[in-house]
Structure formats: C-alpha cells, structure tokens
Amino acid sequence: MKILIKDGIIVTMNAKRQIIQGDILIEDDQISQLGDVEFQQVDKTIDARGKLVIPGLIQSHVHLCQTLFRGMADDLQLLDWLNLRIWPLEAAHDEDSLYYSALLGCGELLRGGTTSVIDMGTVRHTSAIFEAVSRAGIRYLGGKCMMDHGNGNAALLTEDTTTSLQESVDLLERWHGRENGRLNYAFCPRFVPSCSEEMLLQVKQLADEYQVPVHTHASENKDEIELVIRERGRRNIVYLNDLGLLNERLILAHCIQVDKAEQNLLTTAKVNVAHCPSCNLKLASGIAPVPEYLKRGVNVSLGADGAPANNNLSMFIEMRMSALIQKPIWGPTVMPAEEVFEMATLGGARAMGLQGQIGSLEEGKKADIVVVDINKWHTCPVSAAGVYAQLVYQVQTQDVCCTIIDGKIIMEKGEFLTLDQADILQGAESSLQRVRQRAGLV
Ligand code: GUN
Ligand code: FE
C-alpha cells in the first residue's frame, strides 16, 4: 500500500526542526520519502496544499475506561473524586460497557489528531480495552490497573496481590507486541495508596524481566502525599525510589507535589513525567513545576487524563493549557510553543520508549501522521515562523482533517474508516445506563 501526502507544510520535528513544503510518501507502515517525491503510481493521494502535516500527537496519560463517566464527577478533589464517583463507577463496568467506553475515547482522540496513548486500564475486563484499541487503530501502551490495598470504596476494586500480578502477566503475554507492534503492555499499579509494598516490589521485578514500562500516578494531591507519609513513613517519590522503581521505563502521571530532593531523584533516574494540566486545575490539585523539570532535562509529555477529570480528550487544549498556566508564575517567555509541541510529540514518544519509531516525521519512521486544515477563521493569517504558536494556541480538534497510524488512514475529513460513530454513541449510552444502575449513581 502506497499513500502520497501531497504538497503540505511539513512540521518535521527532526533534529533541525525543519519545516518543509513538500510531499510524504508512505509505503506500508513507514515514511519512505519526505520532501520532493518523484512521480509514481500510488494507491491513494491526499491533497495537503495549504495544510499542516504534523507528527501524530501522543497523549501520555489517559483512562479510556473512564470516558463513559464524563460529566459525572465534577467539582471534587482527587480522593473524594475517586472514592465517591470513579471507583464505584469503574467497579460497575461489564465487558461491553468497558469496550464502548474505550471506543468512545478512541473516537474523540483520533478525531483530534491523537495517534498514540499511554492508558491506565481498570481492574477487571481489561481485554475489552485491548479489543477496542485493536479495532480503533490507535497506537497503545497500557495495561490492567492494579489495586490490592485501600479503604472505602477502593474495596470495590481491590484484588489479592497474586491475582493482580498473575492477570497482568497473562494480559502481557496475550497482547504485548500485537497488531504489528501497535499494542504494547505496561504494568499499571494505580498509585501508592492503592498498592501494597509487596505488589510494587513484584511489579518492579516483572517489568525488569519483561523489559516493559511501568505507568502509575504520583504526587498529584496534598492529601495523597500525607496518606503516603502516614502509611509508608516517607514522601511518595522517595518511597518509589526506595523500592527501586525509578528508572527510564517509569512514566509518572502528574508529579505536582514534588519537593527539590524528589525532583533530583526524578532527574537522576531519568523518569518520564506525564503532565495533565487541565485535570490538575479541575481537581484543584495544583500546577506541576514543568519549567523546572524541563530545565533539568526531565522528559515531560502531555495527557488529558480521563474524561471525568477534564472533560475533554483534546491534545490541543492540553498544549495551550500547559503553556498558559505557567506564565503568571514564571513570566511570559517560559514554555515557548515549540517546546510545548515537542512535549506533545517527541516527549510522548520518549515516554513510550518509541523515540526511534514515532514523534517526528522522518524517512524510516512509522507513518503516524496528522493533517491539519488551517484555512479557518481562527487560524488566519498563516506564517511559517508562527507554525508552532498556531498549533499550540489556535488549532482545535475539529481542524484535524486526516489521521494516519501505522500507514493506515483512520480518519479522513471527519469520517472514520475503522469506527462507526452512530453505533458507538448508542452503545455508550445504553452501557452507561447499566453501569449507573449497578453503581447506584444517577
Ligand atoms: N490517582 C489514582 N487514580 C487516579 C485516577 O483515576 N485519575 C487521576 N487523575 N488520579 C488518580
Ligand atoms: Fe489519571
């Protein structure tokens, strides 16, 4: 299969950060030529004249299992948000409701130019998420959410340690590397308050053995930190370090309540930070010290988190938000648009451990490509020098006109080739009715 993307403004994100007016030739799952492609017979041509051609956006922290709960947990802080709403709702999922929740999330993500996600699944029925992402065509790193400890409604989800570990390994064996390497497994302990020390130590061993990432939440909220200090006698990041979990295969969502000593630990161990600015504001958690992380060379990427914590899954909103929230604190020159766009592309690729394959548009890399229509009221005028600012501050999800992943066209002009929107919206609505009833929430 050969696809030609013709005559676009290509924002390469290569080492020289070149912006090239030209073509991209896709052969099977790869970019085979970029720039001036000589005439040849292709299966499909996409006219990108006057449009931006960008690397597929990478959201490094989402919860596809929570998409169904959008708008059902507003105006709460983290521990109440989890205990009163999210845990009962997640516990009420059946296989079908989880499948539709994940597909609903994928539809929104793909429509808005997100081509890859790092996802925290839920405790039960995780295969349904893998089935959904397999069908949707999105690039995926994630796994079953692991919980074997905790009070209150956490009990609706907690399992014994062995069951949680065994099921994680079974899912890894079944799904890791599937779909031409598009689906990959990560161990996903929920956060320290949901996990016994024994389980966290086993996760470290297994992740080393299988050489796969670990994804968890860390240091999002002040009460979470206090709880960890009470139960484990140390601050959160210090505790994770003492268990040997900090390394370049660890992706930590949030990292807001992190002191200087802990920042040093994250830096030295080359831990990846997944920054979720909208969620951090909405749950009143705080503002992560992202300019400090970037100055230290910590890899920072972006994510929307789950729909009930946001309530959008738009990378364009997160890019804009990540820049704006820092400026009143640090001054107007922090978080320049090019740096933000790097977090949304190469930063996410590094977090996934896929920087050799995705995150930039270069010959030999995977064809994860998004075309953006900038002939709109809010994107005019266009200047090559202002491309990054345009992408970070102005472009909206509806401006994405084509999403390609692994060399396959997933969405073109708002139409999906992998998903049936009417069927998914209907499946989501009827699933939610069952889940709400079971959870006893209206
Ligand atoms: N910490 C533990 N679980 C969660 C979750 O589902 N969402 C967020 N934002 N933080 C968490
Ligand atoms: Fe989260």
Side-chain angles (χ1 to χ4, degrees):
M1 180 80 176
K2 282 191 192 183
I3 301 171
L4 182 67
I5 304 176
K6 199 152 177 47
D7 212 11
I9 304 162
I10 305 169
V11 183
T12 64
M13 293 308 284
N14 65 13
K16 292 188 192 151
R17 298 292 184 267
Q18 281 174 299
I19 294 168
I20 298 169
Q21 177 86 40
D23 313 326
I24 293 181
L25 181 67
I26 300 168
E27 287 187 67
D28 301 321
D29 60 344
Q30 285 195 0
I31 296 171
S32 64
Q33 289 183 46
L34 190 152
D36 287 321
V37 176
E38 8 172 309
F39 177 80
Q40 59 187 293
Q41 216 52 47
V42 293
D43 301 289
K44 160 102 187 160
T45 301
I46 295 166
D47 180 7
R49 224 170 336 152
K51 299 188 169 109
L52 299 181
V53 182
I54 65 173
L57 302 171
I58 300 168
Q59 294 216 30
S60 56
H61 180 62
V62 300
H63 297 253
L64 293 175
C65 70
Q66 294 174 4
T67 323
L68 214 52
F69 315 144
R70 192 197 314 271
M72 293 183 67
D74 295 328
D75 308 326
L76 290 163
Q77 68 102 349
L78 177 69
L79 298 183
D80 291 336
W81 181 87
L82 288 168
N83 190 48
L84 299 174
R85 293 275 159 177
I86 301 305
W87 285 336
L89 285 164
E90 279 191 27
H93 259 311
D94 54 59
E95 244 171 66
D96 238 32
S97 64
L98 183 56
Y99 180 68
Y100 278 106
S101 183
L103 283 180
L104 185 66
C106 286
E108 183 181 4
L109 290 160
L110 295 164
R111 180 67 191 81
T114 294
T115 53
S116 295
V117 289
I118 301 177
D119 176 58
M120 173 157 301
T122 183
V123 173
R124 294 190 279 270
H125 316 300
T126 306
S127 266
I129 299 178
F130 279 96
E131 300 283 358
V133 294
S134 171
R135 171 175 160 197
I138 202 163
R139 194 175 296 284
Y140 183 88
L141 173 67
K144 167 191 167 69
C145 176
M146 307 174 78
M147 295 174 70
D148 72 340
H149 181 84
N151 302 318
N153 282 331
L156 298 169
L157 287 167
T158 48
E159 302 175 304
D160 65 64
T161 314
T162 328
T163 307
S164 186
L165 289 160
Q166 188 57 53
E167 206 201 332
S168 299
V169 170
D170 291 346
L171 285 160
L172 184 157
E173 300 272 3
R174 173 157 175 219
W175 291 102
H176 187 60
R178 288 275 293 272
E179 300 281 353
N180 194 32
R182 180 165 60 74
L183 312 184
N184 284 297
Y185 200 83
F187 288 96
C188 296
R190 186 157 209 143
F191 68 157
V192 170
S194 291
C195 300
S196 69
E197 185 159 313
E198 186 196 344
M199 186 163 78
L200 290 169
L201 287 167
Q202 293 275 343
V203 163
K204 149 125 190 102
Q205 273 213 337
L206 287 165
D208 285 350
E209 192 180 309
Y210 285 97
Q211 285 291 299
V212 299
V214 175
H215 181 39
T216 187
H217 297 95
S219 307
E220 177 176 3
N221 170 287
K222 286 206 174 99
D223 295 341
E224 169 203 346
I225 301 299
E226 291 308 315
L227 182 57
V228 174
I229 291 173
R230 264 203 315 280
E231 287 193 349
R232 320 280 159 124
R234 283 150 283 183
R235 288 181 65 85
N236 199 30
I237 303 293
V238 175
Y239 178 66
L240 293 172
N241 182 54
D242 288 349
L243 301 191
L245 274 156
L246 300 193
N247 64 30
E248 69 288 345
R249 274 186 287 103
L250 178 67
I251 306 132
L252 291 182
H254 308 303
C255 298
I256 300 167
Q257 314 294 341
V258 175
D259 70 17
K260 290 280 183 258
E262 291 181 306
Q263 286 185 25
N264 284 336
L265 292 174
L266 295 178
T267 309
T268 311
K270 298 188 162 61
V271 171
N272 300 282
V273 172
H275 175 46
C276 306
S278 299
C279 160
N280 298 162
L281 296 183
K282 186 158 186 277
L283 300 189
S285 302
I287 296 176
V290 171
E292 290 201 68
Y293 290 142
L294 293 173
K295 204 162 74 190
R296 290 163 169 278
V298 172
N299 182 49
V300 183
S301 51
L302 293 175
D305 209 316
N310 192 303
N311 299 354
N312 299 289
L313 303 178
S314 158
M315 194 55 147
F316 294 102
I317 291 178
E318 298 316 312
M319 285 198 282
R320 178 180 157 88
M321 195 64 84
S322 72
L324 298 193
I325 60 173
Q326 303 294 346
K327 292 183 187 282
I329 305 171
W330 305 88
T333 57
V334 293
M335 308 292 287
E338 186 176 329
E339 202 165 8
V340 171
F341 195 66
E342 178 172 340
M343 296 196 298
T345 51
L346 291 164
R350 286 182 212 115
M352 294 181 86
L354 296 178
Q355 60 271 38
Q357 296 181 49
I358 58 173
S360 62
L361 301 178
E362 298 179 71
E363 289 175 5
K365 275 203 165 180
K366 290 274 192 184
D368 286 12
I369 305 174
V370 165
V371 184
V372 181
D373 186 355
I374 45 171
N375 300 295
K376 303 279 183 85
W377 293 111
H378 57 276
T379 43
C380 185
V382 179
S383 77
V387 157
Y388 297 109
Q390 189 161 42
L391 285 163
V392 169
Y393 294 126
Q394 294 159 226
V395 170
Q396 300 166 13
T397 51
Q398 310 89 284
D399 305 334
V400 171
C401 53
C402 186
T403 302
I404 298 170
I405 300 170
D406 219 34
K408 294 194 181 67
I409 298 175
I410 305 291
M411 189 279 295
E412 193 178 12
K413 297 181 186 144
E415 298 296 318
F416 277 88
L417 286 91
T418 55
L419 302 176
D420 178 343
Q421 185 178 13
D423 170 64
I424 292 168
L425 297 188
Q426 200 196 3
E429 294 285 356
S430 58
S431 293
L432 181 58
Q433 283 180 18
R434 294 194 307 277
V435 171
R436 269 182 144 135
Q437 247 169 18
R438 270 198 296 266
L441 294 171
V442 282

